[in-house]
């Protein structure tokens, strides 16, 4: 039973291969306990990874002439292309400094039995880091939600590694079993550049925001999987300060190994700080004495001669804390939102009053998030290490005396200068059923209510590292324009004798201009306290944008009418690369959340990325949804991607406090802010803080008639056992809903119906409604005689806007894509027209000017 060697590879690497498999490849074996010997042999094997829904394809057998080539081990390795069989060993340093804002667990029965009244912290947090099958843990901080570790976990692994993810998990050291508080994953592909003149994985020091379950107790928490990193987190759960860097040894045989199985065990870290203790473990950790060796260690600067660790194992060491203010001083941020319309609410809401909660980080949460300044000072005392406090008894007494005096000053400051007002929860509103069909609920925010559009706003404090989000927004907008242009070219290619070639040339020319503009502006822009990854990414982005621009210029010169389709596919690859460049791995500002509450119960949520609503004076750097009314779709916690619990029309703005006046000036022209009384404003708002409205009042609205011409669907999903469906459609527009008839046993229903939505009140100027008309939602369902209906997909459409002045013209039929979540689910042939109504004559509707009479049209539809 002598251990010869082993081979490790992560699932993602296998799945990213062609056909999601390695077929008859040689896996090189290495022994972590004997790294000097290099490769210990090879094993031919096949690996295949399939996701649910992937088709299982047969492996292509190699031709007989290449049978000898398959035996050439060096050319047929079970490794990604371009990776050598003998790789050097490297040391991965994961530095964990501290965390703040971690969730405090509910006291439950323990507090009642022990009569604990003042204690609000019931967690003993520690950090567990997992990488390439190895696992290391920090010490345990006692009874705090703002722990300080200042520890480093060191992993030894071959470089480049076959595992691309480092999992960082914060856990609570509980007597009845450790509980995951939150999980974050570092993707090495986003923080490294494996190309020539690239850089090794590096990260931070940077704050990492943590997300997970909205509950603070594991008893009955059905969303605990979110805390373990399964799925997207739906609630902010604090943040942690991390750093990562890699040192590569000069040769594969540069490490003196440990002959035991320590690489897969848990190694205890060095202790000595106040409030930290060793993690309890039921396993017996074995440590063997080995000799110390030295060899050439190559760091990022190219220098060698660094001391090598004793063994290939996991080590935990103490590190110096970061200097005070290393991340920069915190700046004031304003998050502002105004609800314009709430429709398509799930009927399970009923008629119970509901409210909306707006939050960013721990700011704005309705329950138990705000602490007094006294408790923050006590928390700072608890966080200080024992070495700092015992250095001098006289200094300690003097420091405590200063803190006690500062508490009295804080008491006076709280009276003289109150904190800025935070209005994060809306007033209670009672849902009502939609008109025509009572399938959905809605909130009536239309006139003549006194406060039509409620406003929510939060003041928060974060470090100003907006330059990262600014460059992400710039690249995202460049990718959006490129995608819109390519979609237009693809539509033109379907038409004979179209100008698709000329349009593709324009799209490529716009891409080249955007790349040049970003590079020139990035050279002049200064970064606030950049870390190593920021500096590396700056050169990385510049290099890749030059590469993309050169490819676009080369493709533009070689475009012909026959090659337009092929060049379109090649440009799609450039779009995919641009999307990858736009992903920012270091985001200091957490995402915003908008929750729908019924009492203390959280019904639905929507997570809003902070970069998408971040304000900037430069238009290209501003988030695409900042300062405009956008459509958001809420879903219930743990619900499927295709589920919609409610549809929101909401105005959003996030930015520094010095730009807070822009949150008000960016309102649509027809809406005026409504403020509270001046006396109340003077009492609540401190001097120098700008007043914020509590609601918006609409000054311009008009009535419309919506005509929905639904003709035929094709390629719908099968819902019955016979492979067919009984489809019908529900059309939702504003606070109205109408339903088509049910057609039995078909996947291509021909409804040939016109649904008429009369007297629809829309707010906004005529120009705004014409440029950006509201969306129409078409829900396709399968009818069941027994039981509830089954969703078959959903489509969105923009109606053709027709004002009073223009003559009526027939609407244009077109196909609309039906999707089920992210998966395609068929097409819908339909036409939608939004006709303005004129109420100027004696309170009666004046019809739109007609171009012909009578208004009767015959549409001939070919049945598929």
């Amino acid at each position: 039973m002598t251990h010869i060697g082993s081979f490790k590879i992560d699932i993602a690497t296998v799945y990213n291969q062609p056909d999601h498999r390695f077929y008859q490849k040689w896996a090189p074996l290495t022994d972590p306990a004997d790294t000097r010997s290099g490769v210990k042999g090879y094993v031919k094997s096949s690996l295949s990874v399939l996701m649910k829904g992937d088709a299982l394809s047969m492996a292509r057998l190699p031709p007989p002439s290449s049978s000898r080539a398959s035996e050439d081990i060096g050319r047929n390795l079970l490794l990604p292309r371009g990776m050598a069989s003998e790789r050097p060993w490297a040391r991965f340093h994961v530095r964990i400094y501290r965390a703040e804002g971690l969730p405090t667990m509910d006291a439950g029965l323990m507090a009642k039995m022990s009569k604990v009244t003042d204690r609000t912290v019931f967690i003993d947090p520690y950090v567990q880091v997992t990488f390439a099958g190895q696992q290391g843990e920090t010490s345990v901080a006692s009874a705090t939600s703002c722990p300080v570790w200042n520890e480093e976990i060191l992993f030894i692994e071959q470089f480049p590694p076959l595992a691309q993810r480092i999992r960082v998990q914060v856990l609570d050291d509980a007597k009845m079993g450790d509980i995951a508080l939150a999980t974050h994953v570092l993707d090495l592909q986003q923080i490294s550049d494996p190309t020539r003149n690239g850089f090794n994985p590096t990260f931070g020091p940077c704050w990492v925001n943590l997300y997970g379950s909205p509950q603070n107790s594991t008893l009955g928490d059905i969303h605990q999987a979110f805390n373990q990193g399964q799925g997207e987190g739906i609630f902010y759960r604090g943040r942690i300060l991390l750093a990562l860097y890699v040192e590569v040894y000069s040769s594969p045989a540069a490490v003196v190994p440990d002959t035991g199985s320590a690489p897969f065990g848990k190694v205890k870290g060095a202790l000595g700080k106040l409030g930290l203790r060793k993690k309890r473990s039921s396993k017996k950790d074995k440590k063997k004495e080995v000799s110390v060796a030295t060899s050439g260690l190559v760091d990022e600067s190219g220098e060698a001669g660094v001391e090598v660790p004793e063994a290939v194992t996991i080590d935990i060491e103490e590190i110096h804390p970061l200097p005070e203010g290393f991340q920069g001083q915190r700046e004031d941020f304003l998050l502002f939102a105004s609800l314009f319309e709430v429709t398509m609410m799930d009927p399970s809401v009923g008629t119970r009053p509901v409210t909306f909660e707006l939050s960013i980080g721990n700011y704005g949460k309705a329950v138990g998030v705000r602490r007094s300044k006294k408790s923050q000072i006590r928390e700072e005392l608890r966080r200080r290490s024992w070495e700092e406090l015992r250095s001098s008894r006289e200094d300690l007494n003097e420091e405590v005396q200063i803190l006690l005096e500062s508490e009295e000053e804080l008491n006076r400051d709280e009276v003289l200068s109150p904190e800025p007002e935070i209005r994060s929860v809306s007033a209670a509103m009672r849902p009502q059923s939609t008109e025509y069909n009572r399938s959905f609920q809605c909130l009536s925010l239309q006139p003549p209510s006194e406060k039509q559009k409620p406003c929510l706003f939060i003041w928060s404090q974060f470090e100003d590292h907006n330059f990262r989000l600014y460059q992400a927004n710039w690249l995202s907008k460049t990718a959006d324009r490129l995608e819109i242009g390519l979609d237009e070219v693809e539509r033109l290619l379907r038409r004979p004798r179209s100008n698709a070639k000329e349009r593709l040339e324009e799209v490529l020319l716009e891409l080249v201009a955007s790349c040049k503009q970003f590079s020139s502006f990035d050279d002049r822009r200064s970064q606030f306290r950049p870390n190593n990854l920021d500096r590396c990414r700056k050169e990385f982005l510049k290099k890749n944008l030059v590469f993309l621009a050169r490819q676009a210029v080369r493709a533009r010169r070689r475009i012909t009418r026959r090659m337009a389709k092929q060049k379109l596919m090649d440009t799609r690859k450039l779009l995919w690369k641009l999307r990858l460049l736009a992903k920012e791995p270091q985001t200091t500002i957490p995402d915003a959340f908008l929750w729908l509450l019924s009492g203390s119960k959280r019904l639905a949520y929507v997570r809003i990325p902070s970069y998408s609503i971040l304000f900037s004076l430069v238009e290209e750097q501003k988030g695409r949804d900042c300062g405009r009314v956008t459509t958001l779709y809420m879903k219930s916690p743990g619900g499927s991607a295709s589920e919609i619990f409610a549809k929101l029309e909401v105005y959003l703005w996030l930015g520094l406090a010095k730009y807070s006046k822009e949150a008000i000036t960016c309102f649509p022209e027809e809406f005026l802010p409504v403020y509270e009384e001046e006396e109340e404003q003077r009492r609540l708002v401190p001097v120098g803080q700008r007043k914020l409205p509590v609601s918006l009042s609409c000054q311009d609205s008009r009535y419309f008639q919506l005509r929905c011409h639904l003709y035929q669907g094709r390629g719908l999903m099968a819902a019955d056992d016979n492979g067919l469906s009984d489809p019908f459609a529900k059309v939702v527009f504003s606070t109205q809903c109408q339903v088509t008839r049910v057609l039995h046993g078909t996947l291509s229903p021909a409804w040939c119906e016109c649904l008429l939505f009369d007297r629809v009140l829309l707010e906004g100027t005529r120009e705004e409604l014409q440029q950006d008309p509201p969306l129409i939602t078409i829900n396709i369902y399968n009818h069941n005689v027994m039981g509830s209906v089954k969703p078959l997909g959903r489509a969105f459409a923009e109606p053709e806007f027709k004002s009073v002045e223009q003559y009526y013209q027939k609407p244009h039929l077109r196909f609309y894509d039906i999707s089920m979540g992210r998966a395609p689910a068929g097409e819908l042939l339909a036409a939608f027209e939004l006709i303005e109504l004129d109420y100027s004559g004696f309170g009666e509707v004046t019809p739109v000017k007609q171009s012909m009479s009578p208004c009767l049209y015959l549409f001939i539809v070919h049945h598929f």
Side-chain angles (χ1 to χ4, degrees):
M1 300 299 294
T2 303
H3 181 245
I4 299 176
S6 60
F7 176 78
K8 295 183 297 182
I9 190 171
D10 64 343
I11 293 177
T13 303
V14 182
Y15 190 79
N16 291 333
Q17 299 304 309
D19 297 331
H20 312 305
R21 75 172 72 209
F22 284 102
Y23 181 70
Q24 292 189 4
K25 299 289 185 178
W26 292 98
L29 304 178
T30 57
D31 188 2
D34 188 14
T35 56
R36 285 185 172 181
S37 59
V39 177
K40 303 297 289 288
Y42 300 89
V43 173
K44 179 183 280 189
S45 58
S46 296
L47 295 180
S48 178
V49 176
L50 295 179
M51 201 187 305
K52 183 179 180 180
D54 290 342
L56 179 61
S57 60
M58 297 298 295
R60 291 170 293 183
L61 297 177
S65 60
S66 62
S67 59
R68 293 184 178 180
S70 63
E71 298 301 326
D72 187 354
I73 297 178
R75 298 182 180 180
N76 197 34
L77 293 175
L78 201 156
L79 294 172
R81 181 176 298 179
M83 189 174 293
S85 59
E86 294 195 8
R87 294 169 290 150
W89 293 86
R91 176 161 45 183
F92 292 77
H93 300 251
V94 181
R95 292 185 170 180
I96 302 168
Y97 295 97
R98 55 193 176 97
E100 65 181 24
L102 298 180
T104 56
M105 305 303 289
D106 293 337
L109 296 176
M110 294 179 59
K112 296 180 180 179
M113 296 175 61
S114 59
K115 297 182 180 180
V116 177
T117 57
D118 296 334
R119 185 178 178 186
T120 58
V121 177
F122 295 89
I123 59 172
D124 300 323
Y126 70 97
V127 180
Q128 183 184 88
V129 183
T130 305
F131 172 61
Q134 308 176 51
Q135 184 173 288
E137 297 171 350
T138 65
S139 305
V140 178
S142 300
T144 177
S145 60
C146 297
V148 177
W149 290 289
N150 291 325
E151 295 182 7
E152 181 182 54
I153 303 178
L154 299 97
F155 298 95
I156 299 294
E157 182 60 32
Q158 287 183 299
F159 189 85
L162 295 180
Q164 298 295 330
R165 293 158 60 90
I166 299 179
R167 188 183 71 172
V168 180
Q169 192 172 68
V170 184
L171 298 99
D172 178 25
D173 184 31
K175 296 181 179 179
M176 303 300 295
D178 296 350
I179 303 168
L181 300 177
T183 303
H184 181 78
V185 174
L186 292 176
D187 191 348
L188 299 184
Q189 294 180 339
Q190 294 184 359
I191 58 177
S192 64
D193 180 16
T195 60
R196 181 179 298 180
N197 298 327
F199 58 93
N200 292 337
T202 179
F203 184 86
C206 178
W207 285 105
V208 171
N209 299 301
L210 303 175
Y211 304 94
S213 169
Q215 296 190 23
N216 287 350
S217 174
T218 57
L219 299 177
D221 186 3
I222 61 176
H223 308 302
Q224 180 62 23
F226 293 143
N227 300 335
Q228 300 172 358
Q230 302 175 18
E232 183 187 38
I234 62 176
F235 206 70
Y236 179 80
R237 296 178 70 85
R239 61 179 188 170
I240 184 172
L241 187 58
L242 297 177
L244 167 70
Y245 72 96
V246 178
E247 295 175 311
V248 182
Y249 294 103
S250 58
S251 64
V255 182
V256 177
D258 186 1
T259 56
S261 58
F264 307 98
K266 298 179 180 180
V267 182
K268 302 177 181 179
L271 303 175
K273 296 189 290 292
L274 181 63
L276 297 180
R277 64 177 187 274
K278 296 181 180 179
K279 170 73 182 71
R280 295 191 306 272
S281 177
S282 59
K283 299 180 181 180
K284 297 181 179 179
D285 298 323
K286 299 180 180 180
K287 300 179 69 175
K288 300 185 178 182
E289 297 294 332
V290 293
S291 58
V292 179
T294 59
S295 90
L297 183 67
V298 181
D299 57 9
E300 296 181 357
S301 61
E303 298 179 356
V306 183
E307 183 178 345
V308 177
E310 296 180 352
V312 181
T313 182
I314 302 175
D315 295 326
I316 290 127
E317 301 176 356
E318 291 187 358
I319 57 176
H320 293 289
L322 292 176
E324 190 69 23
F326 181 81
Q327 293 293 313
Q329 298 297 325
R330 295 190 180 187
E331 300 290 341
D332 291 333
F333 282 82
L334 170 65
L335 173 62
F336 186 91
S338 181
L339 300 175
F340 277 67
E341 190 176 71
V342 183
T343 58
M344 285 186 64
M345 298 179 66
D346 194 273
S348 62
V349 175
T351 58
R352 300 184 302 271
V354 296
T355 58
F356 286 89
E357 176 199 81
L358 180 68
S359 65
I360 181 169
N362 281 329
Y363 298 92
K365 292 181 179 178
V367 181
V369 295
R370 298 186 64 183
R371 297 182 301 164
S372 65
K373 296 185 178 180
K374 295 181 182 179
S375 63
Q376 295 179 11
I377 293 177
R378 296 192 185 99
E379 188 68 31
E380 287 293 330
L381 280 174
R382 192 182 299 114
R383 287 167 50 185
R384 295 181 184 273
S385 63
W386 176 250
E387 286 79 8
E388 293 176 350
L389 292 179
R390 72 176 183 178
S391 59
S392 174
R393 187 179 301 273
E394 295 179 358
D395 294 341
L396 177 62
N397 294 334
E398 182 180 356
E399 185 177 13
V400 172
Q401 183 66 26
I402 294 175
L403 288 173
L404 291 176
E405 294 175 357
S406 64
E407 286 188 1
E408 298 179 358
E409 295 179 359
L410 288 175
N411 290 335
R412 294 192 296 268
D413 293 341
E414 289 177 356
V415 177
L416 298 177
S417 300
E419 295 182 359
E421 181 190 6
I422 293 180
R423 189 181 298 271
S424 62
V425 180
S426 66
M429 297 172 282
R430 191 176 297 274
Q432 62 184 22
S433 300
T434 54
E435 298 181 40
Y436 297 108
N437 187 275
R438 304 173 67 87
S439 300
F440 301 98
Q441 301 288 99
C442 65
L443 293 176
S444 180
L445 299 178
Q446 305 284 3
S449 58
E450 295 181 359
K451 295 183 179 180
Q452 298 92 350
K453 313 299 178 187
C455 295
L456 305 174
F457 51 87
I458 303 169
W459 296 97
S460 58
Q461 288 187 339
F462 300 102
E463 292 80 9
D464 182 10
H465 293 152
N466 293 340
F467 67 89
R468 300 168 182 163
L469 303 183
Y470 288 159
Q471 67 183 12
N473 285 333
W474 193 309
L475 295 176
S476 295
K477 288 187 175 182
T478 303
D480 292 340
R481 288 192 295 266
L482 178 59
E483 186 173 9
I484 293 173
L486 294 181
D487 292 341
E488 184 179 351
V489 173
E490 189 172 359
R491 288 193 298 267
L492 292 174
L493 286 174
R494 299 173 185 173
R495 305 176 185 176
R497 299 179 181 179
S498 63
N499 58 341
K501 171 182 174 296
E502 291 76 10
R503 181 63 183 125
L504 183 56
E505 290 178 348
E506 294 177 0
V507 171
L508 292 174
L509 188 60
E510 291 174 1
L511 175 60
V512 174
S514 298
C515 293
K516 291 182 178 179
Q517 186 180 11
F518 177 86
S519 299
S520 61
F521 188 84
D522 192 61
D523 292 337
R524 299 192 305 267
R525 181 181 55 190
S526 61
Q527 297 181 345
F528 178 75
R529 295 182 180 271
N531 54 34
N532 187 45
L533 180 57
D534 293 325
R535 291 185 287 267
C536 292
R537 271 186 60 83
K538 184 175 182 179
E539 300 299 326
F540 172 75
L541 294 177
K542 185 185 300 184
K543 177 181 67 175
N544 281 270
L545 289 178
V546 170
F547 175 74
L548 290 178
R550 288 177 179 175
Q551 284 189 313
V553 171
R554 191 179 300 112
R556 184 173 179 271
R557 292 174 179 174
R558 299 178 181 177
I559 292 179
T560 61
R561 296 191 181 275
R562 293 184 178 181
M563 295 293 294
K565 188 173 183 180
Q566 179 62 37
K567 295 302 179 183
L568 174 64
M569 298 174 60
D570 296 340
T571 312
R572 292 280 187 187
K573 297 179 181 179
L574 301 183
L575 173 62
W576 178 76
K577 294 180 181 178
L578 193 58
R579 292 290 187 192
L580 292 181
L581 295 178
K583 293 183 179 180
E584 174 57 51
Q586 300 180 126
T587 55
T588 304
I589 304 178
D591 294 342
F593 284 90
L594 192 60
W595 275 90
L596 177 63
L597 309 179
S598 177
S600 60
K601 185 178 180 181
R602 298 183 178 272
L603 300 180
Y605 77 99
V606 60
R607 180 171 168 177
I608 309 163
S610 57
Y611 64 85
S612 66
I613 58 175
L614 184 63
F615 175 79
S616 174
L617 294 176
V618 181
E619 184 63 28
E620 288 295 309
Q621 296 180 351
K622 186 167 64 173
R624 60 182 180 182
D625 295 331
C626 176
R628 59 184 295 265
V629 180
T630 182
T631 303
L632 300 178
Y633 298 95
M634 307 185 78
K635 64 179 182 178
S636 59
S640 61
S642 60
E643 174 197 1
I644 292 180
F645 195 93
K647 174 187 172 184
L648 303 180
E649 296 288 336
V650 58
Y651 172 93
L652 294 167
W653 191 94
L654 172 66
L656 290 167
K658 61 182 179 181
Y659 301 137
S660 59
K661 63 179 181 180
E662 299 294 337
I664 303 175
T665 58
C666 291
F667 290 150
E669 295 180 359
E670 66 277 9
F671 289 93
L672 295 180
V674 178
Y675 299 94
E676 291 182 337
E677 289 131 8
E678 293 297 327
E679 293 79 12
E680 189 174 2
Q681 284 291 333
R682 282 194 293 265
R683 181 173 58 87
L684 292 177
V685 180
V687 178
Q689 194 70 33
R690 187 177 180 87
K691 297 187 299 182
L692 293 174
V694 296
S695 64
L696 300 181
S697 175
C698 179
Q699 304 298 313
D700 192 359
S701 61
R702 57 196 72 241
Y703 283 93
F704 290 86
Q705 183 185 89
L706 175 67
R707 299 176 185 177
C708 303
H709 307 275
L710 303 180
Y711 287 95
Q712 190 172 12
R714 66 179 182 183
L716 301 185
M717 299 174 58
D720 298 335
D721 296 336
N722 57 1
L724 301 174
S725 299
D726 303 326
F728 68 97
K730 288 184 180 180
V731 181
V732 183
F733 185 73
S734 187
T735 59
Q736 301 182 17
C737 175
Q738 295 195 41
V739 184
T740 66
R741 57 195 175 100
V742 179
L743 298 181
H744 298 277
T746 178
L747 298 181
S748 298
W751 291 294
C752 296
E753 291 188 39
C754 177
L755 302 180
L756 186 66
F757 294 76
D758 200 12
R759 295 174 59 86
V760 180
L761 180 62
L762 298 180
E763 299 165 329
T765 61
R766 182 178 302 166
E767 292 74 16
E768 290 180 350
L769 292 175
Q770 187 171 6
Q771 294 176 1
D772 189 15
L775 284 178
I776 304 170
T777 307
I778 305 99
N779 301 279
I780 312 297
Y781 296 95
N782 178 67
H783 175 74
N784 290 324
V785 179
M786 303 295 293
S788 60
V789 298
K790 179 180 179 181
L792 299 179
R794 181 178 291 109
F796 301 96
E798 282 190 0
E800 299 180 23
F801 184 89
K802 299 176 180 179
S803 63
V804 177
E805 288 78 11
Q806 70 183 80
Y807 284 96
Y808 180 83
Q809 295 180 354
K810 293 182 294 184
H812 300 282
L813 281 173
R814 55 163 294 189
F815 281 102
Y816 296 90
D817 295 329
I818 301 174
S819 59
M820 189 71 173
R822 297 181 180 178
E827 292 179 310
L828 173 67
L829 180 63
F832 304 91
E833 48 185 346
L834 188 63
I835 303 174
E836 184 182 2
L837 303 179
D838 187 5
Y839 280 81
S840 59
F842 302 100
E844 296 182 357
V845 180
T846 302
V848 181
K849 298 178 183 179
Q850 306 293 327
S851 61
M852 61 181 66
S853 181
C855 297
L856 178 63
Y857 304 96
L858 176 64
F859 293 90
I860 300 176
V861 181
H862 174 69
H863 291 268
F864 295 87

